[in-house]
Amino acid sequence: MTQGYHKKILVVDLSTESWHIEEPEDKIYRQYYGGYGLGVYYIYTHLKPGVDPLSPENILGFCPGLFTGTPSPFSGRYMVCGKSPLTGGWGNANSGGTFGPEIKKVGLDAIFFKGKSEKPTYLFIDGKNIQLLDASELWGKDTIETENFIEKKHGPRVKVACIGQAGENLSRISGIVNDLGRIAARSGLGAVMGFKKLKAVCIRRSKENEKLELHDKKELMNQIKQYNSNFKEMAKKGFMTKVLGSMGSLAPLLRIMKKNTGSFDSPGMAKMIVQMFSTTQLGTTSANLVSAQIGDSPIKNFKGIGYKDFPMKKAKRIGGKKIKKLMKTPYGCFTCPARCGAILEYDALPYPEKETHRPEYETCASLGCLILNDDLDLLLKANELLNRACMDTISAGGVIAYVYECCEQGLLTEKDFKCAAYPEGFLPKWKDNSYLLQLLKMMINREGIGDILADGVKIASEKLPGSKEYAIHANGQEIPMHDSRQDPTLALTYIADPTPGRHTAASLSLDKMGLKYFLEELGSFEVNNENDLGKQQAKIAKFKQAIEATGMCILSLNMGAYPFLEIIRAITGWNVSIDEVVETGYRIQTLRQMFNAREGAIRHYISQRAIGSPPLIKGPLKEKSYDLEPLAQDYYEAMGYQKNGVPKKETLELLNLNLAVEDLSNAKGVTITLENEYIKKQITQFKKSFNNPSRIQPLTGG
Ligand code: SF4
């Protein structure tokens, strides 16, 4: 009897309108868990190398994690995966809400789509009955209209993941929405769904669906009870809640503190994060004000400085507290004790529904300080427009910032923006966001210049000569709202993770503090000598894939001790050790890397501005400038990869990845150059001073 999984994956061929169930061997679950672990195993072994991501050959997976569908806290996520049309390499994106658990509850561990339908279609899993239904009526509808239509037709118990107009129009920065506003946004996988003419995946489970068997339910519930009780204790309202609620006002002070202390690491941190995300009910918007001031949020397309270009009085207009005033009800994803989400009520929305999901921090920054927008009304309307069309808000903000700069430089002029609404055109500019919504609509509908912009800044800059400098991305994907100049390990993540430009991918900079308290078996993340940065980054990269494969929300990594090993054992009956868990994550990361090696998609491109070349001359990121190659070399060595990023044969063998060995003969890596002596010197200083509380200082002045 299987425990924790069903040993059943559904494979749908849209070209032949047929489907079948595959039953992977038990050892596949133990070696890859679920989520994109199972996803990369299936896609790697079934996808021909070199296919166009927007072709019938691409495979699109919907993969809940190993914990998803069980009562384990924070475990409600699913991953969408496939070859990315944005980067040409491995693509994955994840989403919370309630859709992921439904895949498990209907008796499946994953759903994969092959081929391409002739006409718009949607998959409807109704108990044990599987159907592909006509979606012609839904084509052209936004995600809320689509979900409402399906709910009306199939009843309120149906769970839906769907694309909007951006995915239908094959925008390479489009994603997939579930629960009326949770989005698997990154990697452009909405376009893959749009190409396949697959409008939605809908699930309505019934009593006849097989229950998920658990190895030791009693032990699992004991662990959960204990965890939730500790969490409740941390979340108790008190003095700290008040302080955190007003933390925005302390932003200038925090900017100075960060400069002098190097980090906010302390044992009380977990409690502080719990309170910040859940108790204050600010969710991730609790970071809006602070991040803009301390150098975390990129400002004005990465060329601005928070306190100068987006000072407190502007930042406050789109701050977490301001947004909270519109809150109708807080909510959380399946089994989440933190409940960081919220539904806002906003009458000015130009839709019949006057409710909207609260924008996350990433959105508030990308449609806020990145483009110098301090108008909350515009931010909420832009967020809702993008959610309905299902376009990634991080990438969309990056495109708008790129447009503003191209206009500032005279590369785009008024006539370039001719469209039905403005036959004479218009001129977007910094600090005047009056054309923001029109620009986004043009991108969603591929109208006029929107046709070029709909595929992200890299592709746009290839079509607009002279604009490469203003297109801020890492290996083709727009960089998220955590400035890569803060810390070279963050920038390293943006270029060296198989899905580039992701703040959720493993980085020593963002993860070491939380992981130290999350799972003490992981041991220390101390950096004692020059090569330790790469080694510790590798250690985090290995472990974090195991987390992702369980379907856990990564915000939980910052919220204190979690009985991770105990929960795996109680769900599956596997007597796992920490070493085995880390090895599982290592295997997943290495197969993702091999996917890119096979596709020739290991690259180290990051826009020069995003690594401080030239450096800013003022502000928290003053004179920060990095060459990432020495660090990348240390990281690859610690991962058992060659200097060019391609895994070594012995590493594949060690990880039971013999299935990838023969691909080594055609694998392509990156070409490394170590040119800039000045920057090399800085990275050496950074390595030496990593554990020094005043580590920010030695980097300035070089
Ligand atoms: S912390 Fe927020 S995003 Fe994460 S599972 Fe909970 S509600 Fe969802």
Side-chain angles (χ1 to χ4, degrees), residues 74-77 96-97 182 277 284 331-341 360 552-556 559:
F74 290 104
S75 67
R77 303 188 85 84
R182 308 290 315 192
F277 281 105
T284 56
Y331 77 87
C333 303
F334 184 75
T335 70
C336 177
R339 298 170 59 78
C340 80
E360 299 291 346
M552 283 187 67
C553 171
I554 58 155
L555 288 175
S556 68
M559 299 191 192

Side-chain angles (χ1 to χ4, degrees), residues 11 20 105 121 156 190 201 204 256 377 404 432 448 500 502 514 567 674:
V11 181
H20 65 274
K105 289 185 177 196
T121 187
V201 179
R204 186 173 66 185
I256 296 164
D377 174 69
Y404 286 173
D432 170 12
R502 303 285 300 273
I567 285 186
L674 300 175

